[in-house]
């Protein structure tokens, strides 16, 4: 017998893998994920709206190319910023 429990962190989490952004939020809230290039220009808005608590995925396909990007997740009053090098 195997039991899977969903891990919901106490703070927002953001992780990029290949063509997907995975994020988790502890509470249902308004969420926005902005993507900036190395020069600070906004290149994409991946999420902009209300989301339920828990883990979510967003496809990156066609939204960013190769390069260094800054991802900013805003969930309510909390903000999380992470840098990511995209190779493909």
């Amino acid at each position: 017998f195997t039991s899977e429990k969903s891990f919901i962190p106490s703070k927002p989490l953001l992780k990029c893998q290949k063509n997907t952004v995975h994020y988790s939020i502890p509470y249902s809230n308004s969420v926005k994920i902005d993507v900036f290039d190395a020069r600070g220009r906004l290149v994409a808005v991946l999420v902009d709206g209300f989301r339920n608590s828990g883990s979510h995925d967003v496809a990156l396909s066609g939204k960013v190319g190769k390069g260094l990007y800054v991802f900013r997740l805003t969930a309510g009053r909390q903000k999380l910023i992470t840098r990511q090098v995209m190779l493909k």
Side-chain angles (χ1 to χ4, degrees), residues 48-73:
D48 190 6
F50 185 85
R51 297 293 184 270
N52 289 324
S53 64
S55 298
H56 304 273
D57 295 329
V58 180
L60 275 176
S61 299
K63 296 178 181 149
V64 297
K66 292 180 184 179
L68 174 66
Y69 293 92
V70 174
F71 291 78
R72 180 178 66 194
L73 178 140

Side-chain angles (χ1 to χ4, degrees), residues 1 3 6 8 10 20 23-24 30 33 36-37 40 45 49 56 58-60 72 77 79 86:
F1 176 72
S3 175
S6 180
I8 301 175
S10 60
T20 306
Y23 69 97
S24 297
S30 178
I33 300 177
F36 300 90
D37 66 12
V45 177
H56 304 273
V58 180
L60 275 176
R72 180 178 66 194
R77 293 182 179 185
K79 289 186 181 180
M86 304 305 287

Side-chain angles (χ1 to χ4, degrees), residues 12-32:
L13 291 177
L14 181 69
K15 183 177 179 184
C16 303
Q17 289 182 332
K18 294 187 181 182
N19 290 325
T20 306
V21 172
H22 306 283
Y23 69 97
S24 297
I25 55 173
Y27 307 103
S28 299
N29 215 328
S30 178
V31 174
K32 188 171 184 182

